[in-house]
Amino acid sequence: MINSENNKLTIKKLLQLNCFNVSIIIISIIVFFYILNNNIIINDNDRINIITINALLIGFLFTGLGIIISGLEKDRIKRLNNNYYLDEFFYGIYIGVLFLCISMIISIILFIKLIVNCCILKHFELSFLISGMLYFLKSVYSLFTLTEKIRKK
């Protein structure tokens, strides 16, 4: 962290930089309660598809992370990183990977029937999948924004 007074990361600045991430978390909570109130049936074929989608999106998120990290050598991107503006991109990818991994683990547990007839896990499975997909879309948008900044010069 840079010790300069202008570059100090405060809670207010952290919330401003991550307002999109916070809004996705709020949407995710709403989605969870929607799924909780509706009886959504998932069979084993759907569960295999959920595992595949999770793995695919996690791979794309890690690829995006690699693209962002490779862009850090550019002076313009380095300045953004030093002033904490890239934290929103990194946090979005980290949270997206976390949510998709949780969904995939729950799907695997339910598929191999380690836990049977646990309705709350089924709700969490879908909620984390949808939340992870929202973070994936946000990360794709962030990557487009960042690549435009890298290409400008």
Side-chain angles (χ1 to χ4, degrees), residues 5-19:
E5 194 62 40
N6 291 338
N7 290 330
K8 222 177 224 182
L9 186 62
T10 62
I11 299 293
K12 182 180 177 183
K13 189 172 184 179
L14 187 65
L15 286 175
Q16 286 173 343
L17 292 174
N18 288 294
C19 66

Side-chain angles (χ1 to χ4, degrees), residues 17-80:
L17 292 174
N18 288 294
C19 66
F20 198 76
N21 292 334
V22 172
S23 64
I24 289 178
I25 288 175
I26 292 170
I27 291 170
S28 299
I29 292 169
I30 293 169
V31 166
F32 174 74
F33 285 113
Y34 175 80
I35 291 171
L36 193 62
N37 291 329
N38 294 302
N39 189 17
I40 298 173
I41 299 171
I42 301 173
N43 60 31
D44 283 344
N45 287 338
D46 295 333
R47 201 149 277 126
I48 291 291
N49 291 335
I50 290 173
I51 293 168
T52 304
I53 290 168
N54 283 323
L56 182 75
L57 294 180
I58 289 169
F60 283 135
L61 286 173
F62 275 119
T63 302
L65 183 63
I67 291 169
I68 292 174
I69 289 172
S70 68
L72 288 177
E73 62 191 37
K74 302 274 186 181
D75 289 334
R76 184 177 201 151
I77 304 303
K78 205 178 285 186
R79 273 195 314 271
L80 289 172

Side-chain angles (χ1 to χ4, degrees), residues 74 76-77 145-153:
K74 302 274 186 181
R76 184 177 201 151
I77 304 303
T145 305
L146 190 62
T147 52
E148 285 298 313
K149 289 179 182 180
I150 290 172
R151 293 181 71 194
K152 276 186 183 176
K153 196 169 183 184

